[in-house]
Amino acid sequence: MKKVALIIGAGPAGLTAALEFLRKGDIHPIVVEQESFVGGISRTAEYNGNRMDIGGHRFFSKNDWVMNWWKNICSDMMLRPRLSRILYLRKFFDYPVSLNANTIKGLGLWRMAKIGCSYIKSSLFQIKPEKTLQDFMLNRFGKELYLTFFKDYTEKVWGIPCEQISAEWGAQRIKGLSIAKAIKHALFKNSKETSLIDEFLYPKLGPGALWQNAADKILEMGGEILFDSKVVRIENGELRIENGKTFKFDYILSSMPVKDLVKAMEGVPQNIKEIADGLMYRDFITVGVLLDKLEVGNIKDNWIYVQENDVKVGRLQIFNNWSEYLVKDQSKVWIGMEYFANEGDDLWEMSERVFKKLAISELEKIGIAKKDSVLDSVVLKVPKAYPAYFGTYNRFNELRAWLDGIDNLFLIGRNGMHKYNNMDHSMLSAMEAVKAIHSGSKDKSVVWNVNSEEDYHESK
């Protein structure tokens, strides 16, 4: 009789693990998912014939295995241009910031001079050790550029000051971006210096279509996926879901939030419970807005980062520019307004009617579109979208060591590892866990080492 691997979560990590078990053939995977859909935050939501990519997902990886995996699962991938910009002072600036005529004109010579002097000062007087995200950014960009292009947006995302966030988040997400590289690129156009990718793959109908294909493949090969199955208890080699049904397992791979995993487990030491209880998350709200037209013309951006402190919106997605097939009527503009919240706060608890009104008023305030152009709108909430690098995160290694000591338990994915992984990193964590199980290895460091490299993941 085959051994059983119970996989918690039908997001990128969980579905990858299930499919890899089936391809190897000797372990039966059962995926339990508390929602009624696959993909996790990488799903595609539908509303009145229009599709929303929750958070925006570029299909690019430095890992050939991941790239081939995607192409094998989804045959209708399109090659899309990458363009993101920053909205600041009601003007558009390149993202990442480029030292070019548009930047100089937009900021003005006086502000540019202050940025240059501030950068030189930060280079001469580095903050060591880097304890906070503010330290990390000041060391790389200087105070003036940090205040201009980074501080307000970052604090919208996390809801707390940058000096209260671990520097590890910067190391995880910003990595190789720096002013020195921007200057080198400006002076030497043919420089081999790392720059961000300018194209990426994208499924015709959004990321959810790819993950639905993966789920269909799992079922076709004999795996199981159980929806609306919230995990409530794990003990003595059994997992129980909310309806009372229990499953015996030989291995368990968890991509559910670590906080919730520990709550479901028996025999957890008090110090581990305290760390898990203190882990924090940032929640995500997207307002889909269908427009007759934009006031800023036919822009080509995938994302627009809103570095304006007089509005709450953090980022805009123009879904037409991800794939025209996400939009039912291609003469219209379908955008996503992204907000960051905490479950239970004023934004999270706001009624859909009031939230729509807020979003549409902000869209007009920042000059993107007028209220009269709005044809339709919808609000969609995603809890625990971003694992936070504050709270009890400074003790996370203690929690990790205890969980890693459970031989048949493997943590995978973004929330499973409480690590700000992208989609490809979540998949690789699952792949490494499956490999470790098949080899009989008890060394879980290979799973944790995914996305620990210094090179930025979207660079070439």
Side-chain angles (χ1 to χ4, degrees):
M1 188 174 178
K2 284 186 179 180
K3 290 185 176 181
V4 171
L6 268 176
I7 300 167
I8 306 174
L15 294 178
T16 299
L19 200 48
E20 291 309 299
F21 277 128
L22 289 165
R23 284 171 172 166
K24 292 181 182 297
D26 55 347
I27 293 175
H28 178 68
I30 302 173
V31 181
V32 290
E33 168 58 54
Q34 74 171 20
E35 302 292 349
S36 58
F37 52 81
V38 298
I41 197 175
S42 300
R43 72 180 174 116
T44 305
E46 292 191 44
Y47 176 73
N48 287 347
N50 296 301
R51 292 177 169 86
M52 301 169 66
D53 180 349
I54 308 303
H57 293 85
R58 299 189 185 106
F59 285 75
F60 169 82
S61 178
K62 290 183 174 181
N63 186 284
D64 290 338
W65 179 85
V66 172
M67 294 295 288
N68 291 329
W69 200 100
W70 282 331
K71 291 174 185 177
N72 179 263
I73 290 295
C74 186
S75 60
D76 59 358
M77 289 282 212
M78 306 183 299
L79 191 62
R80 307 303 294 170
R82 179 195 191 280
L83 175 62
S84 298
R85 289 183 294 173
I86 299 167
L87 183 67
Y88 176 64
L89 303 172
R90 304 308 197 249
K91 301 172 186 175
F92 289 110
F93 296 89
D94 291 346
Y95 176 81
V97 180
S98 300
L99 187 62
N100 56 26
N102 179 64
T103 303
I104 295 169
K105 181 182 177 182
L107 292 177
L109 290 176
W110 173 241
R111 191 177 269 113
M112 285 297 296
K114 286 173 69 180
I115 286 171
C117 291
S118 175
Y119 173 68
I120 292 169
K121 182 179 177 182
S122 73
S123 300
L124 295 173
F125 303 101
Q126 292 269 304
I127 301 167
K128 292 183 179 179
E130 292 176 345
K131 294 181 179 178
T132 71
L133 182 58
Q134 179 169 279
D135 296 341
F136 180 94
M137 289 186 172
L138 289 175
N139 277 350
R140 282 154 187 78
F141 307 115
K143 182 178 179 180
E144 289 299 324
L145 194 62
Y146 160 63
L147 294 175
T148 300
F149 284 129
F150 294 96
K151 185 177 189 293
D152 286 339
Y153 175 76
T154 304
E155 292 183 355
K156 281 182 189 178
V157 173
W158 295 110
I160 65 170
C162 290
E163 56 265 36
Q164 294 179 27
I165 302 171
S166 169
E168 192 172 333
W169 186 84
Q172 180 91 3
R173 299 299 294 182
I174 299 172
K175 295 186 179 175
L177 303 181
S178 73
I179 294 303
K181 291 177 181 178
I183 294 170
K184 184 175 180 180
H185 182 71
L187 294 175
F188 306 102
K189 296 295 185 184
N190 295 321
S191 168
K192 299 287 186 185
E193 191 61 63
T194 295
S195 60
L196 292 190
I197 60 165
D198 49 22
E199 290 181 320
F200 58 92
L201 294 176
Y202 194 76
K204 178 179 174 179
L205 296 177
L210 180 144
W211 294 114
Q212 187 58 58
N213 286 352
D216 292 343
K217 187 76 172 172
I218 288 165
L219 297 176
E220 177 189 313
M221 294 177 70
E224 298 179 59
I225 303 175
L226 307 175
F227 294 104
D228 302 310
S229 299
K230 182 179 179 180
V231 173
V232 294
R233 183 62 60 198
I234 302 169
E235 59 180 322
N236 300 324
E238 288 190 345
L239 178 146
R240 186 165 79 248
I241 59 177
E242 206 165 37
N243 66 7
K245 189 173 181 179
T246 60
F247 302 86
K248 291 186 180 297
F249 61 85
D250 297 284
Y251 307 100
I252 187 164
L253 290 79
S254 175
S255 66
M256 72 189 289
V258 180
K259 185 174 198 160
D260 298 335
L261 173 69
V262 171
K263 262 183 200 170
M265 298 174 72
E266 285 291 312
V268 179
Q270 187 58 36
N271 66 313
I272 301 301
K273 286 182 181 178
E274 288 172 2
I275 299 168
D277 285 344
L279 290 177
M280 302 180 76
Y281 302 82
R282 195 68 165 148
D283 308 299
F284 184 75
I285 304 168
T286 295
V287 183
V289 183
L290 187 67
L291 298 162
D292 243 345
K293 64 174 183 176
L294 297 171
E295 290 300 303
V296 287
N298 185 26
I299 57 177
K300 300 297 184 183
D301 302 71
N302 311 120
W303 276 313
I304 296 170
Y305 295 87
V306 183
Q307 175 74 3
E308 305 281 24
N309 59 19
D310 59 343
V311 291
K312 295 182 183 298
V313 64
R315 194 170 62 175
L316 306 176
Q317 278 195 85
I318 296 85
F319 295 119
N320 307 60
N321 297 336
W322 291 87
S323 168
E324 57 270 31
Y325 298 100
L326 299 181
V327 190
K328 182 180 179 181
D329 181 349
Q330 296 186 23
S331 70
K332 309 305 179 190
V333 182
W334 178 229
I335 71 170
M337 302 182 66
E338 299 180 354
Y339 291 82
F340 309 96
N342 291 328
E343 280 190 82
D345 70 12
D346 290 344
L347 270 182
W348 190 262
E349 296 300 323
M350 194 178 288
S351 71
E352 184 165 356
R353 180 185 63 81
V354 175
F355 211 124
K356 287 178 180 179
K357 187 176 179 181
L358 167 70
I360 292 165
S361 68
E362 291 197 340
L363 203 59
E364 183 166 76
K365 187 174 185 178
I366 59 179
I368 298 296
K370 292 193 178 295
K371 294 177 186 178
D372 294 345
S373 295
V374 176
L375 303 171
D376 200 359
S377 58
V378 67
V379 177
L380 194 149
K381 298 179 180 179
V382 181
K384 292 185 174 66
Y386 305 112
Y389 286 52
F390 43 90
T392 53
Y393 181 76
N394 62 336
R395 296 178 61 196
F396 185 77
N397 283 341
E398 193 179 336
L399 169 62
R400 170 189 156 182
W402 186 82
L403 290 168
D404 279 354
I406 302 171
D407 288 346
N408 63 346
L409 170 65
F410 290 79
L411 305 184
I412 58 174
R414 176 183 283 194
N415 275 339
M417 303 171 76
H418 203 86
K419 189 176 182 182
Y420 203 138
N421 285 325
N422 275 349
M423 190 163 47
D424 59 333
H425 299 128
S426 292
M427 294 172 64
L428 286 167
S429 70
M431 182 266 285
E432 290 293 352
V434 171
K435 283 169 60 177
I437 288 169
H438 275 277
S439 69
S441 173
K442 294 182 181 180
D443 179 12
K444 297 175 184 177
S445 64
V446 289
V447 180
W448 290 99
N449 286 340
V450 170
N451 192 21
S452 61
E453 74 279 3
E454 286 302 311
D455 289 338
Y456 185 62
H457 68 278
E458 279 192 38
S459 63
K460 61 176 181 178

